[in-house]
Amino acid sequence: MSKSFNIIKTNTSNPKVWVVIGVSVVGFVVLAETLRRRRNPKLNGRVDFGAFLERFELIPFPQPPPPAARQPLAGLKFAIKDVFDVKGYVTGFGSPDWKRDHHEADRTAVVVTLLLKNGATCIGKTVLDEFAFGITGENKHYGTPVNPQMPSHIPGGSSSGSAVAVAAQLVDFALGTDTIGCVRVPASFCGILGYRPSHGTVSMIGVLPNSQSLDTVGLLARNASILHRVGHVLLQLNAVEPRRARRLIFADDIFQLSKVPKLKTIHVISKAIESLSGYQNPEHMNVGQYIASNVPSLKGLRAQSTSPENGTATLKALSSVMLSLQRYEFKTIYEEWVKSAKPRLGYNVFERVLEAINTTQDNIKILYKVRNEMRAALQRLLKVSLSLNVSLRIC
């Protein structure tokens, strides 16, 4: 009998030995699964990377005869998050329980129709966190789309399927919705471009809301050229190129929250614009201080903050207002259905829905006042850069 075997036999009663063995086995299993996913992103026959809930084809409106110009989006294919109405299909909201209780849409969402009129072809609806109430992109019922860039990682949400469809080159671009980051997060996770227009810029008619005063239609694309073409249509800009924004403002206090050194970010952006004409040198400011001075209704809420970091107290108070508004508005729309249908939900979404349904906002008027003051403050800040769209996401 070998010496090694005797050592193992002697120590089999030692619980520490079994802990080491157990950890080692788990490590090998995790490593094997990670390698398997990387080798085969089309897991379990999911040839579409699990991005789609259902496939169909909405053909574009007829091309105008010559000498009319070719439709700007001709030849492009796109997908839509399962919150956009399509005539003849039930908008499922990422939930089979919701889909079971609702009827087929009698008309197509305004924004989808706009894209069809401009030559694009829609090929299906994509997966999302149930009720667009998640940030991971996971769905208990339909599965989690596979991140094409890093198959062992989540794709981010809630517009996960739309981001994956673009990143996997299944479509040229896709539509999602963005409430508190639901387009920008999966775009960053999947290595593509994500754009959240200013609130109200793109029509939400025919789109299921999560929080009506925060929701926007968002755009995902693989490259800047497609993002520009589709964005031009969504924003319904004139054929003449709009006046270029000539100011760049660095929010120093927010960049300090990033793990990427601020100087590195400034260098990259400065190099990107140095060959462009008409741009001034970047300006620097403390956005937290600007908000504190220009959003007076936030002061009382900030006083309630337990954050020890004075520099981020204003930003955290603003973030708290955003989350409180989201919960309140979700409850206003869906409380009755949630209580009667008792939908089956994934754990993370269940927690968020429960928080929303149980929320009580005695200070709701103050929250809306903060929102209105904040929008006015940003408009004043950017009034000389009319074409510059800025959205702040504070985690």
Side-chain angles (χ1 to χ4, degrees), residues 295-336:
V295 186
S297 297
L298 193 60
K299 292 179 180 178
L301 298 174
R302 179 184 172 184
Q304 300 170 15
S305 172
T306 57
S307 171
E309 304 93 347
N310 293 329
T312 61
T314 296
L315 301 178
K316 289 188 176 183
L318 186 63
S319 176
S320 177
V321 169
M322 176 185 68
L323 292 173
S324 296
L325 279 176
Q326 182 192 27
R327 292 171 186 154
Y328 172 79
E329 292 183 346
F330 183 89
K331 176 180 180 177
T332 300
I333 304 171
Y334 301 112
E335 179 180 20
E336 184 177 343

Short mmCIF file of all heavy atoms in Angstrom, two decimals, residues 295-336:
data_model
loop_
_atom_site.label_atom_id
_atom_site.label_comp_id
_atom_site.label_asym_id
_atom_site.label_seq_id
_atom_site.Cartn_x
_atom_site.Cartn_y
_atom_site.Cartn_z
N VAL A 295 -31.58 72.07 -6.95
CA VAL A 295 -32.74 71.22 -6.69
C VAL A 295 -33.08 71.36 -5.21
O VAL A 295 -32.77 70.49 -4.39
CB VAL A 295 -32.44 69.75 -7.06
CG1 VAL A 295 -33.69 68.88 -6.92
CG2 VAL A 295 -31.91 69.65 -8.49
N PRO A 296 -33.72 72.46 -4.84
CA PRO A 296 -33.94 72.75 -3.42
C PRO A 296 -34.79 71.72 -2.69
O PRO A 296 -34.60 71.49 -1.49
CB PRO A 296 -34.64 74.12 -3.44
CG PRO A 296 -35.17 74.27 -4.83
CD PRO A 296 -34.22 73.55 -5.71
N SER A 297 -35.71 71.07 -3.40
CA SER A 297 -36.59 70.09 -2.74
C SER A 297 -35.84 68.85 -2.28
O SER A 297 -36.36 68.05 -1.50
CB SER A 297 -37.73 69.68 -3.67
OG SER A 297 -38.55 70.79 -3.98
N LEU A 298 -34.61 68.67 -2.78
CA LEU A 298 -33.82 67.51 -2.42
C LEU A 298 -33.16 67.67 -1.05
O LEU A 298 -32.74 66.68 -0.44
CB LEU A 298 -32.75 67.26 -3.49
CG LEU A 298 -31.99 65.93 -3.47
CD1 LEU A 298 -32.95 64.76 -3.64
CD2 LEU A 298 -30.93 65.92 -4.56
N LYS A 299 -33.09 68.91 -0.55
CA LYS A 299 -32.35 69.16 0.68
C LYS A 299 -32.92 68.40 1.87
O LYS A 299 -32.18 67.84 2.67
CB LYS A 299 -32.32 70.66 0.97
CG LYS A 299 -31.48 71.44 -0.03
CD LYS A 299 -31.49 72.92 0.27
CE LYS A 299 -30.63 73.68 -0.77
NZ LYS A 299 -30.65 75.15 -0.54
N GLY A 300 -34.26 68.40 1.99
CA GLY A 300 -34.87 67.68 3.10
C GLY A 300 -34.61 66.19 3.04
O GLY A 300 -34.36 65.54 4.05
N LEU A 301 -34.64 65.64 1.85
CA LEU A 301 -34.38 64.21 1.68
C LEU A 301 -32.92 63.89 1.94
O LEU A 301 -32.59 62.85 2.49
CB LEU A 301 -34.76 63.78 0.27
CG LEU A 301 -36.24 63.96 -0.10
CD1 LEU A 301 -36.45 63.64 -1.57
CD2 LEU A 301 -37.12 63.07 0.77
N ARG A 302 -32.03 64.82 1.55
CA ARG A 302 -30.62 64.60 1.79
C ARG A 302 -30.32 64.60 3.28
O ARG A 302 -29.46 63.85 3.75
CB ARG A 302 -29.80 65.69 1.10
CG ARG A 302 -28.30 65.54 1.31
CD ARG A 302 -27.53 66.69 0.70
NE ARG A 302 -26.13 66.63 1.08
CZ ARG A 302 -25.21 67.53 0.76
NH1 ARG A 302 -25.56 68.57 0.03
NH2 ARG A 302 -23.96 67.41 1.14
N ALA A 303 -31.04 65.42 4.04
CA ALA A 303 -30.81 65.48 5.48
C ALA A 303 -31.11 64.14 6.14
O ALA A 303 -30.55 63.81 7.19
CB ALA A 303 -31.67 66.58 6.09
N GLN A 304 -32.01 63.33 5.50
CA GLN A 304 -32.35 62.03 6.06
C GLN A 304 -31.33 60.96 5.71
O GLN A 304 -31.37 59.84 6.19
CB GLN A 304 -33.72 61.60 5.54
CG GLN A 304 -34.84 62.57 5.91
CD GLN A 304 -36.13 62.24 5.17
OE1 GLN A 304 -36.29 61.17 4.62
NE2 GLN A 304 -37.07 63.16 5.19
N SER A 305 -30.39 61.29 4.81
CA SER A 305 -29.42 60.31 4.34
C SER A 305 -28.46 59.94 5.46
O SER A 305 -28.02 60.78 6.23
CB SER A 305 -28.64 60.86 3.14
OG SER A 305 -27.59 59.99 2.81
N THR A 306 -28.13 58.65 5.54
CA THR A 306 -27.18 58.18 6.55
C THR A 306 -25.78 58.04 5.96
O THR A 306 -24.88 57.52 6.60
CB THR A 306 -27.62 56.81 7.10
OG1 THR A 306 -27.74 55.88 6.01
CG2 THR A 306 -28.98 56.92 7.81
N SER A 307 -25.61 58.48 4.74
CA SER A 307 -24.31 58.32 4.08
C SER A 307 -23.26 59.19 4.76
O SER A 307 -23.45 60.38 4.95
CB SER A 307 -24.42 58.72 2.61
OG SER A 307 -23.14 58.77 2.03
N PRO A 308 -22.12 58.60 5.14
CA PRO A 308 -21.07 59.39 5.78
C PRO A 308 -20.27 60.21 4.78
O PRO A 308 -19.55 61.12 5.16
CB PRO A 308 -20.19 58.32 6.44
CG PRO A 308 -20.36 57.11 5.56
CD PRO A 308 -21.79 57.17 5.08
N GLU A 309 -20.37 59.85 3.49
CA GLU A 309 -19.60 60.57 2.49
C GLU A 309 -20.37 61.80 2.04
O GLU A 309 -21.31 61.70 1.27
CB GLU A 309 -19.30 59.67 1.28
CG GLU A 309 -18.59 58.38 1.64
CD GLU A 309 -19.57 57.24 1.86
OE1 GLU A 309 -20.79 57.53 1.99
OE2 GLU A 309 -19.13 56.10 1.92
N ASN A 310 -20.00 62.97 2.53
CA ASN A 310 -20.72 64.19 2.21
C ASN A 310 -20.74 64.46 0.71
O ASN A 310 -21.71 64.99 0.17
CB ASN A 310 -20.09 65.38 2.94
CG ASN A 310 -20.27 65.28 4.44
OD1 ASN A 310 -21.25 64.72 4.90
ND2 ASN A 310 -19.31 65.79 5.20
N GLY A 311 -19.66 64.08 0.02
CA GLY A 311 -19.58 64.36 -1.40
C GLY A 311 -20.59 63.60 -2.23
O GLY A 311 -20.96 64.02 -3.32
N THR A 312 -21.04 62.44 -1.74
CA THR A 312 -21.99 61.63 -2.51
C THR A 312 -23.38 61.62 -1.91
O THR A 312 -24.27 60.98 -2.45
CB THR A 312 -21.48 60.18 -2.60
OG1 THR A 312 -21.37 59.64 -1.27
CG2 THR A 312 -20.14 60.09 -3.30
N ALA A 313 -23.59 62.35 -0.82
CA ALA A 313 -24.90 62.34 -0.16
C ALA A 313 -25.99 62.83 -1.10
O ALA A 313 -27.09 62.27 -1.15
CB ALA A 313 -24.86 63.18 1.10
N THR A 314 -25.71 63.90 -1.85
CA THR A 314 -26.71 64.44 -2.77
C THR A 314 -27.04 63.44 -3.87
O THR A 314 -28.21 63.23 -4.21
CB THR A 314 -26.21 65.75 -3.40
OG1 THR A 314 -26.05 66.72 -2.36
CG2 THR A 314 -27.20 66.28 -4.43
N LEU A 315 -26.01 62.81 -4.43
CA LEU A 315 -26.23 61.84 -5.49
C LEU A 315 -27.00 60.63 -4.99
O LEU A 315 -27.87 60.10 -5.69
CB LEU A 315 -24.89 61.41 -6.10
CG LEU A 315 -24.04 62.53 -6.69
CD1 LEU A 315 -22.72 61.97 -7.22
CD2 LEU A 315 -24.79 63.24 -7.81
N LYS A 316 -26.70 60.19 -3.79
CA LYS A 316 -27.41 59.04 -3.24
C LYS A 316 -28.86 59.39 -2.92
O LYS A 316 -29.76 58.57 -3.09
CB LYS A 316 -26.69 58.52 -1.99
CG LYS A 316 -25.37 57.84 -2.32
CD LYS A 316 -24.75 57.16 -1.13
CE LYS A 316 -23.48 56.39 -1.53
NZ LYS A 316 -22.89 55.66 -0.40
N ALA A 317 -29.09 60.60 -2.47
CA ALA A 317 -30.47 61.05 -2.22
C ALA A 317 -31.25 61.09 -3.53
O ALA A 317 -32.42 60.69 -3.59
CB ALA A 317 -30.47 62.42 -1.56
N LEU A 318 -30.61 61.57 -4.59
CA LEU A 318 -31.26 61.61 -5.90
C LEU A 318 -31.57 60.20 -6.40
O LEU A 318 -32.64 59.94 -6.95
CB LEU A 318 -30.37 62.34 -6.89
CG LEU A 318 -30.94 62.60 -8.28
CD1 LEU A 318 -32.16 63.50 -8.20
CD2 LEU A 318 -29.89 63.22 -9.19
N SER A 319 -30.63 59.29 -6.19
CA SER A 319 -30.85 57.90 -6.57
C SER A 319 -32.02 57.29 -5.81
O SER A 319 -32.84 56.56 -6.37
CB SER A 319 -29.58 57.09 -6.30
OG SER A 319 -29.78 55.73 -6.58
N SER A 320 -32.13 57.62 -4.54
CA SER A 320 -33.23 57.13 -3.72
C SER A 320 -34.57 57.65 -4.23
O SER A 320 -35.57 56.92 -4.25
CB SER A 320 -33.02 57.55 -2.26
OG SER A 320 -34.10 57.14 -1.45
N VAL A 321 -34.60 58.90 -4.67
CA VAL A 321 -35.82 59.47 -5.25
C VAL A 321 -36.22 58.69 -6.50
O VAL A 321 -37.39 58.35 -6.70
CB VAL A 321 -35.62 60.96 -5.59
CG1 VAL A 321 -36.79 61.49 -6.43
CG2 VAL A 321 -35.49 61.77 -4.31
N MET A 322 -35.25 58.40 -7.35
CA MET A 322 -35.51 57.67 -8.58
C MET A 322 -36.12 56.30 -8.29
O MET A 322 -37.14 55.91 -8.87
CB MET A 322 -34.22 57.51 -9.37
CG MET A 322 -34.33 56.68 -10.63
SD MET A 322 -32.71 56.43 -11.43
CE MET A 322 -31.90 55.38 -10.20
N LEU A 323 -35.53 55.55 -7.36
CA LEU A 323 -36.03 54.22 -7.03
C LEU A 323 -37.40 54.29 -6.39
O LEU A 323 -38.27 53.44 -6.66
CB LEU A 323 -35.04 53.51 -6.10
CG LEU A 323 -33.70 53.15 -6.72
CD1 LEU A 323 -32.74 52.61 -5.66
CD2 LEU A 323 -33.87 52.12 -7.83
N SER A 324 -37.64 55.30 -5.56
CA SER A 324 -38.95 55.45 -4.92
C SER A 324 -40.03 55.76 -5.94
O SER A 324 -41.15 55.23 -5.87
CB SER A 324 -38.89 56.56 -3.86
OG SER A 324 -38.01 56.23 -2.81
N LEU A 325 -39.71 56.60 -6.92
CA LEU A 325 -40.67 56.90 -7.97
C LEU A 325 -40.97 55.66 -8.80
O LEU A 325 -42.12 55.40 -9.17
CB LEU A 325 -40.12 58.01 -8.89
CG LEU A 325 -40.27 59.44 -8.41
CD1 LEU A 325 -39.59 60.40 -9.38
CD2 LEU A 325 -41.75 59.81 -8.27
N GLN A 326 -39.94 54.88 -9.10
CA GLN A 326 -40.15 53.66 -9.88
C GLN A 326 -41.12 52.73 -9.15
O GLN A 326 -42.07 52.20 -9.75
CB GLN A 326 -38.83 52.95 -10.14
CG GLN A 326 -38.97 51.69 -10.99
CD GLN A 326 -37.72 50.85 -11.01
OE1 GLN A 326 -36.92 50.88 -10.08
NE2 GLN A 326 -37.52 50.09 -12.07
N ARG A 327 -40.87 52.50 -7.89
CA ARG A 327 -41.74 51.59 -7.12
C ARG A 327 -43.17 52.12 -7.04
O ARG A 327 -44.13 51.38 -7.22
CB ARG A 327 -41.17 51.41 -5.71
CG ARG A 327 -39.86 50.65 -5.66
CD ARG A 327 -39.26 50.70 -4.28
NE ARG A 327 -37.94 50.09 -4.24
CZ ARG A 327 -37.00 50.41 -3.37
NH1 ARG A 327 -37.23 51.34 -2.46
NH2 ARG A 327 -35.83 49.80 -3.39
N TYR A 328 -43.31 53.40 -6.77
CA TYR A 328 -44.64 53.99 -6.62
C TYR A 328 -45.43 53.87 -7.92
O TYR A 328 -46.61 53.50 -7.92
CB TYR A 328 -44.52 55.47 -6.22
CG TYR A 328 -45.83 56.20 -6.23
CD1 TYR A 328 -46.74 56.07 -5.18
CD2 TYR A 328 -46.17 57.04 -7.30
CE1 TYR A 328 -47.95 56.74 -5.20
CE2 TYR A 328 -47.38 57.71 -7.33
CZ TYR A 328 -48.27 57.55 -6.28
OH TYR A 328 -49.48 58.21 -6.31
N GLU A 329 -44.78 54.16 -9.04
CA GLU A 329 -45.49 54.14 -10.32
C GLU A 329 -45.81 52.70 -10.75
O GLU A 329 -46.87 52.45 -11.35
CB GLU A 329 -44.69 54.88 -11.38
CG GLU A 329 -44.62 56.37 -11.09
CD GLU A 329 -43.89 57.18 -12.14
OE1 GLU A 329 -43.19 56.58 -12.98
OE2 GLU A 329 -44.03 58.41 -12.12
N PHE A 330 -44.91 51.76 -10.47
CA PHE A 330 -45.20 50.36 -10.77
C PHE A 330 -46.42 49.90 -9.97
O PHE A 330 -47.32 49.24 -10.50
CB PHE A 330 -44.00 49.48 -10.46
CG PHE A 330 -44.20 48.04 -10.82
CD1 PHE A 330 -43.87 47.58 -12.08
CD2 PHE A 330 -44.72 47.14 -9.89
CE1 PHE A 330 -44.07 46.24 -12.43
CE2 PHE A 330 -44.93 45.81 -10.22
CZ PHE A 330 -44.59 45.35 -11.49
N LYS A 331 -46.44 50.26 -8.70
CA LYS A 331 -47.58 49.89 -7.85
C LYS A 331 -48.87 50.49 -8.36
O LYS A 331 -49.91 49.81 -8.40
CB LYS A 331 -47.31 50.35 -6.41
CG LYS A 331 -48.48 50.10 -5.46
CD LYS A 331 -48.17 50.57 -4.06
CE LYS A 331 -49.35 50.32 -3.13
NZ LYS A 331 -49.04 50.71 -1.74
N THR A 332 -48.84 51.74 -8.77
CA THR A 332 -50.04 52.42 -9.24
C THR A 332 -50.66 51.69 -10.43
O THR A 332 -51.89 51.56 -10.53
CB THR A 332 -49.70 53.87 -9.66
OG1 THR A 332 -49.18 54.56 -8.52
CG2 THR A 332 -50.94 54.60 -10.16
N ILE A 333 -49.81 51.17 -11.32
CA ILE A 333 -50.32 50.52 -12.54
C ILE A 333 -50.69 49.06 -12.29
O ILE A 333 -51.72 48.59 -12.77
CB ILE A 333 -49.26 50.59 -13.66
CG1 ILE A 333 -48.83 52.04 -13.92
CG2 ILE A 333 -49.80 49.97 -14.95
CD1 ILE A 333 -47.64 52.15 -14.86
N TYR A 334 -49.87 48.32 -11.53
CA TYR A 334 -49.97 46.86 -11.55
C TYR A 334 -50.39 46.21 -10.22
O TYR A 334 -50.53 44.99 -10.17
CB TYR A 334 -48.63 46.27 -11.98
CG TYR A 334 -48.19 46.73 -13.34
CD1 TYR A 334 -47.07 47.56 -13.49
CD2 TYR A 334 -48.89 46.38 -14.49
CE1 TYR A 334 -46.66 48.00 -14.74
CE2 TYR A 334 -48.50 46.81 -15.74
CZ TYR A 334 -47.38 47.63 -15.86
OH TYR A 334 -46.98 48.07 -17.09
N GLU A 335 -50.61 46.98 -9.18
CA GLU A 335 -50.90 46.38 -7.88
C GLU A 335 -52.10 45.43 -7.94
O GLU A 335 -52.05 44.30 -7.44
CB GLU A 335 -51.16 47.47 -6.83
CG GLU A 335 -51.51 46.90 -5.46
CD GLU A 335 -51.75 47.99 -4.43
OE1 GLU A 335 -52.03 49.15 -4.84
OE2 GLU A 335 -51.68 47.69 -3.22
N GLU A 336 -53.18 45.87 -8.54
CA GLU A 336 -54.40 45.07 -8.57
C GLU A 336 -54.17 43.73 -9.29
O GLU A 336 -54.57 42.67 -8.79
CB GLU A 336 -55.53 45.84 -9.27
CG GLU A 336 -56.87 45.11 -9.27
CD GLU A 336 -57.97 45.94 -9.92
OE1 GLU A 336 -57.79 47.17 -10.06
OE2 GLU A 336 -59.00 45.34 -10.27
#
